Amino acid sequence: MIEYRIDRRSGVATYLQIVQQTKQALRLGLLEPGDKLPTAREVVAATAINPNTVLKAYRELEREGLAEGRRGLGTFVRGTLGRGSADSALRTELAAWADRARAGGLDKDDVTALFTSVVAERFEEHGEEHSEHSKQSKRTERIKGDDA
Amino acid sequence: MTVAAIEATGLGKRFAGSRRRERWALRGCSFRIPAGRVCALVGPNGAGKSTLLAHAAGLLAPTEGSVRVLGAAPAEVRARLAYVAQDKPLYPQLTVGETLRMGRELNPERWDAAAAERIIEGSGPGSALDHGLRVRSLSGGQRTRVALALALGKRPELLLLDEPMADLDPLARHQLMGALMAGAAEHGTTVVISSHILAELADACDYLLLLDGGRVRLGGEVEDILNAHLLVSGAARDLDDLAPHTVVESRTAGRGRTALIRPEGPPDSAWQTDEPSLEELLLAHLRSPDVPALLTPSAELPGRDRTEVTV
């Protein structure tokens, strides 16, 4: 079972940290369809965050089709996240790119900054249309602001 | 509307002092805290936090106005609420074990021995308190844990905690907050925690009541209060006229200006806008005592009760 780690200084909304860590676990294959997510009680007893924050994160995962709540039983993983593509061709290309960057004299921070800025640029439109609710878009802006 | 955990109507408390030094610790407080919330009661020293909690616990009588708890007068629902005062009163001559037994015998219907024991056990190596120790021999933080164990063992519907964290070590703090949140998740316990340090409550609370000078300044869901405010910045000349927005605070540095506003309609497109952090928002309000109070709909008294004073 997944254990969430809440970083209070990250600037990322707490519920999003839970969403992101769940997705990361899905990508890495640490969670698979059918696995049970910890109950809100278990998460809050360990992390001392508000139960509603956990429920909000689980609702978001449900909205994205990655989890489903079963009445009286808990919340279960339903979807997977493109693990195949992350593992194969794209990863090889990215690795080759990283090698070239390194050979070109860039250090780790340079590469990370470059990568982050390209991701921010390429995924900007996608992010905007993705967030339908106004509250959500506010959150998104806030996160972007903190990254900058 | 469901029964509120706490509902105050024009609540005021004046403490008698020497003739000229009578002082209103609370004045004109009208608000409600819905059941099931975890509410941070924040405000500077002397804001009236402890006085408010003591009224909700039924230990102080209002000078004017009224407070109702779980739909009744506080004294009528004492069995369903727990209150840990700031000085954590306990019987010093009793042992830890005897204190727990007292909790069990005074609350035969509700006593949850396991919940109380978990707090006495603690969570770190060597943190467990020996049942044979006398309360008088315990350190301040250990006494706090015994007081909290009593309160949690009662498994109350409403838990009123006055500065519970002040003398707890980090492990005990984390364990306490975890236990409170688990109780809220499992039993829907309403928790009201006072503190003047917001950081230790920010992640745990979904509701907020800001007291300042005996008055309620802000009340409602943390998220709604945040969404009702906007941090705008830009060139001072562009931010000269902020009407029709309500300005909480405006500060100028050189040619730039930053203002915290409650937007009335969309902000000017020339401004840069950011969502304020909760801490920024609270500090701005404390620096600007004349800004009108803001209560979200769930924190407002139902209209018909607003002028009515019931006892």
Side-chain angles (χ1 to χ4, degrees), chain B residues 201-212:
Chain B
L201 300 178
D203 274 323
C205 297
D206 51 20
Y207 218 78
L208 176 81
L209 198 67
L210 171 64
L211 278 186
D212 186 17

Side-chain angles (χ1 to χ4, degrees), chain B residues 51-127:
Chain B
T51 308
L52 179 62
L53 287 174
H55 277 86
L59 297 180
L60 283 179
T63 309
E64 58 182 32
S66 69
V67 61
R68 291 177 71 76
V69 171
L70 302 170
E76 291 166 25
V77 288
R78 208 160 268 163
R80 293 155 62 197
L81 65 85
Y83 165 64
V84 178
Q86 203 165 5
D87 53 359
K88 284 90 186 178
L90 292 167
Y91 294 104
Q93 69 277 25
L94 295 188
T95 64
V96 172
E98 286 163 352
T99 305
L100 293 179
R101 192 179 138 213
M102 176 185 78
R104 189 183 75 222
E105 296 197 3
L106 289 176
N107 301 279
E109 310 280 319
R110 331 180 53 99
W111 188 248
D112 181 345
E117 280 299 340
R118 274 197 293 275
I119 302 293
I120 298 295
E121 270 306 298
S123 57
S127 69

Side-chain angles (χ1 to χ4, degrees), chain B residues 134-149:
Chain B
R134 294 219 179 269
V135 166
R136 85 157 57 81
S137 72
L138 300 178
S139 75
Q142 290 171 327
R143 264 181 242 194
T144 298
R145 276 169 53 202
V146 175
L148 289 166

Side-chain angles (χ1 to χ4, degrees), chain A residues 6 8 14 40-41 44-53 56 135 138-139 141-142 145, chain B residues 38 118 174 177-178 181-182 184-186 203-206 223-224 226-227 229 275-277:
Chain A
I6 305 303
R8 287 172 169 77
T14 308
R41 191 201 180 281
V44 302
T47 58
I49 60 171
N50 190 280
N52 288 326
T53 308
K56 185 174 175 184
K135 260 185 200 169
K138 265 196 173 174
R139 291 284 181 198
E141 277 164 27
R142 186 178 179 185
Chain B
V38 181
R118 274 197 293 275
H174 189 80
M177 289 312 287
M181 294 307 107
E186 205 169 8
D203 274 323
C205 297
D206 51 20
E223 201 169 316
D224 292 352
L226 282 172
N227 286 340
H229 293 85
E275 199 176 283
S277 73

Side-chain angles (χ1 to χ4, degrees), chain B residues 152-204:
Chain B
L152 287 164
K154 189 173 178 179
R155 195 179 276 174
E157 288 165 56
L158 171 63
L159 189 49
L160 304 164
L161 302 175
D162 197 356
E163 295 274 0
M165 313 281 207
D167 50 13
L168 291 181
D169 64 52
L171 258 180
R173 274 179 202 215
H174 189 80
Q175 196 212 5
L176 167 66
M177 289 312 287
L180 293 178
M181 294 307 107
E186 205 169 8
H187 308 293
T189 315
T190 308
V191 187
V192 183
I193 313 178
S194 78
S195 177
H196 54 263
I197 304 165
L198 177 72
E200 65 186 22
L201 300 178
D203 274 323

Side-chain angles (χ1 to χ4, degrees), chain A residues 25 113 144 147:
Chain A
K144 275 185 202 151
D147 278 351

Side-chain angles (χ1 to χ4, degrees), chain A residues 42-103:
Chain A
E42 288 166 338
V43 177
V44 302
T47 58
I49 60 171
N50 190 280
N52 288 326
T53 308
V54 184
L55 298 178
K56 185 174 175 184
Y58 285 6
R59 275 201 304 277
E60 175 64 19
L61 290 167
E62 285 175 29
R63 205 179 63 81
E64 296 183 28
L66 296 171
E68 67 177 338
R70 295 183 201 154
R71 194 166 286 275
L73 293 174
T75 305
F76 292 81
V77 176
R78 200 173 107 192
T80 50
L81 276 174
R83 209 185 154 215
S85 63
D87 267 357
S88 54
L90 285 172
R91 194 180 202 289
T92 319
E93 272 180 59
L94 185 60
W97 175 83
D99 289 341
R100 285 205 303 282
R102 191 173 185 182

